[in-house]
Amino acid sequence: MRGMQKVLLIGLSGALCSVASAQLSFSNETTSCELFETPGVIAAHDLSELDPNFDKMNSGGAIGDFNNDGFPDIFYVRAEGGADMLFINDGDGTFTNQAAAWGVDATHLGNGAAAGDFNNDGHLDLFVTSYGPVGSGGLVGQHRLYRNNGNSTFTEMGALAGVNFTTTTNYSGTAGAFGDYDRDGDLDLFIGSWGQTDRRGTLYRNNGDETFTDVTVAAGVLDPAVYSFAPRFVDMTGDGWPELIMAADFNTSRYYVNNCDGTFSDETVAVGAIIDMNGMGSTVGDFNGDGLMDWYVSSIHQDPGDDPRFSGNVLYQNQGDGTYADVSMPAGVNNGGWGWGTVAVDLDHDADLDIVEVNGWTPTPAYEFENAKVFMNQGDTGGFGHPIFTEEAVSLGMDYLLQGRGLGAIDFDLDGDQDFVMFTNRDEIRLYRNDLTPGTGGWLRVVLDTSTDNFQTPNGMGSMVFVTIGGVTQMRSIDGGSNYATQSELSAHFGLGAAATIDEVRVEWADGRVTTQTNVAANQHLTIQSPKTGDVNGDGLVGAADMALALGSWGPVHAQPTDVNRDGNVGAADIALLLGNWDVTP
């Protein structure tokens, strides 16, 4: 299995040299980027109408290229702060709010958002959790699903699609996460829930006709005890099937292993005990470079730290045997304040993953104005088998002292490094630009294009991207996971250190096919197309080799590339698709 492979970490001859974080800095560009409600007034969020618990938990959004112009845009949920906003990237370092023109300027008791092409038409759609109209006091069945019409407009169809409810007994729903858990080529949806009474999260299976079916019970993920904040579909085991993991409050975080048959098994204890006490935000990545996916969960840390309810963030390091070890304290990432949104990216392009985290709460003044955290990965400097991180937010210019909730990674200016959007509770949105000195380290940003295969999971969600230089392999997941009520852009970003050329870029698509490119130049935005419909072996041609593979697996199959139309059976329909694309080159 892919997840069991190990990668060479020594003998690199300086190919991935460390880059000093002194060449890294951030600047607050919220005003210069014109993230305005009105000229000169930065857009703000508020949700004071609801129960105080819900009020203090909110503010999020979604980042995605909604008009397919190559520049990532920002959708912002504002609740009582005013109408939701859709900041379309102007491509010159500024944004323009086009929410009214696009039809997404609702004023409602909104919370979080997720982006995904749920109907596979080539345009990113939006899912927004909501508690109903302003002044309603909170109602059930109010979640919104905006279908992107491809002409700079959206149509709201949450009720029509059947995803407007999390529960039927009380308003709830923190964040949504898109993912293809059953590998049938379309995006399913999980809605996390932090409810006062009925707390069940809900799994909706995509029916392929712009409607969804609630399969929470049938899939084995019904658990009314979970206070879910940040769900995510991501392949943690390396078998090609996405797990469902979620950061959740009050020691209820969950790790569901995909059984590859439409069901999940709760392995929260079996994997070594998921122990975060107040899981809020969540991010994943290979933090120690061993080819295995790790999991970072933000939580509450409170000095003196002797109360287990406030034990802080947890970095679950994948042991490669189906278990995880908590390395958060020796790694130096345990204390993130009252943690919320968190993202793992290579900030300084030194070829390892760093962590950004926002925080804030109001029980004491100490937690009301605690700065955001930037944990810089120093590698395994002590030979302990885990990386060491140093917290450097203030020195790097990340002077964010507001009530941070959602956090999204975005390369808004397409300069190759990762910038950040902070969504704030009862306060203004913030955009921090990464001002990494040009030439400090090489980079690669990969976007997956699935337009050549109508049966491929949109935007490559569920795919893994690997970059190999000098025997060292980095890995990234393309997934629609929630960082906390917020989704980052759908790209795979790599820091390359001093390397000018990448030996190999490899994509393992969600349907099992593989695309490989060699001798790839560094410092570029690389779009990789999925294999064409009928190209079973991924060699760029639809021909006799693909036909032979299909005929050799005739009959019922289980998520195989030969099942061209992903209906669970290799038969006449698949052969027809092959013949329809015969000898067609990309």
Side-chain angles (χ1 to χ4, degrees), residues 37-249:
E37 176 181 359
T38 57
V41 178
I42 300 172
H45 168 277
D46 184 26
L47 193 58
S48 56
E49 175 184 327
L50 298 182
D51 176 282
N53 286 317
F54 283 91
D55 167 25
K56 292 182 174 67
M57 293 175 183
N58 295 277
S59 190
I63 297 167
D65 184 4
F66 297 107
N67 58 357
N68 287 344
D69 67 350
F71 288 88
D73 312 302
I74 303 169
F75 178 75
Y76 178 27
V77 183
R78 296 181 63 213
E80 293 173 70
D84 291 346
M85 308 183 84
L86 177 62
F87 292 109
I88 297 297
N89 195 323
D90 297 322
D92 60 1
T94 66
F95 293 81
T96 300
N97 178 25
Q98 298 286 349
W102 284 61
V104 292
D105 60 332
T107 300
H108 61 114
L109 303 177
N111 185 8
D117 181 6
F118 82 93
N119 58 354
N120 208 352
D121 66 353
H123 305 286
L124 274 181
D125 310 299
L126 276 166
F127 174 76
V128 184
T129 52
S130 176
Y131 308 137
V134 171
S136 68
L139 301 173
V140 299
Q142 301 297 308
H143 302 324
R144 295 168 173 265
L145 179 63
Y146 291 105
R147 182 185 63 203
N148 189 332
N149 299 317
N151 60 357
S152 300
T153 68
F154 283 92
T155 298
E156 201 288 302
M157 51 180 297
L160 184 64
V163 294
N164 54 319
F165 281 90
T166 306
T167 71
T168 59
T169 56
N170 57 275
Y171 63 84
S172 65
T174 50
F178 285 108
D180 185 10
Y181 80 93
D182 53 2
R183 287 182 56 176
D184 64 352
D186 52 30
L187 293 178
D188 311 301
L189 175 68
F190 185 86
I191 309 173
S193 177
W194 195 104
Q196 298 289 57
T197 54
D198 187 351
R199 292 183 292 276
R200 57 165 272 174
T202 305
L203 176 61
Y204 287 103
R205 184 183 184 276
N206 194 325
N207 298 322
D209 59 0
E210 296 195 341
T211 68
F212 293 77
T213 298
D214 181 350
V215 295
T216 312
V217 175
V221 294
L222 175 64
D223 191 340
V226 176
Y227 292 82
S228 176
F229 279 132
R232 198 179 201 105
F233 291 102
V234 60
D235 179 14
M236 302 295 292
T237 63
D239 65 355
W241 291 78
E243 274 60 58
L244 173 60
I245 59 176
M246 61 186 79
D249 211 353

Side-chain angles (χ1 to χ4, degrees), residues 322-373:
T323 67
Y324 292 79
D326 172 17
V327 299
S328 51
M329 293 191 70
V333 295
N334 177 252
N335 186 355
W338 201 296
W340 296 94
T342 181
V343 174
V345 296
D346 187 351
L347 298 174
D348 53 2
H349 293 174
D350 67 348
D352 54 30
L353 285 174
D354 312 299
I355 298 172
V356 180
E357 178 184 322
V358 295
N359 57 59
W361 190 243
T362 55
T364 67
Y367 292 101
E368 186 172 359
F369 299 107
E370 184 165 359
N371 202 83
K373 307 297 181 183

Side-chain angles (χ1 to χ4, degrees), residues 21 23 50 113 170 174 219 258 263 308 328 390 480 510 516 530 537 556 583:
S21 60
Q23 295 172 294
L50 298 182
N170 57 275
T174 50
N258 197 322
T263 69
S328 51
T390 57
T516 301
S530 63
N537 61 4
D583 203 30

Side-chain angles (χ1 to χ4, degrees), residues 488-550:
S488 297
E489 65 174 42
L490 290 169
S491 66
H493 171 268
F494 298 86
L496 307 177
T501 303
I502 303 162
D503 298 333
E504 180 183 271
V505 178
R506 175 183 173 91
V507 179
E508 295 184 359
W509 298 93
D511 68 350
R513 289 181 290 176
V514 175
T515 298
T516 301
Q517 297 186 12
T518 58
N519 298 319
V520 177
N523 305 322
Q524 65 166 310
H525 302 277
L526 179 64
T527 298
I528 300 179
Q529 283 196 330
S530 63
K532 298 180 73 66
T533 301
D535 182 10
V536 175
N537 61 4
D539 66 354
L541 293 171
V542 180
D546 304 297
M547 180 66 76
L549 289 170

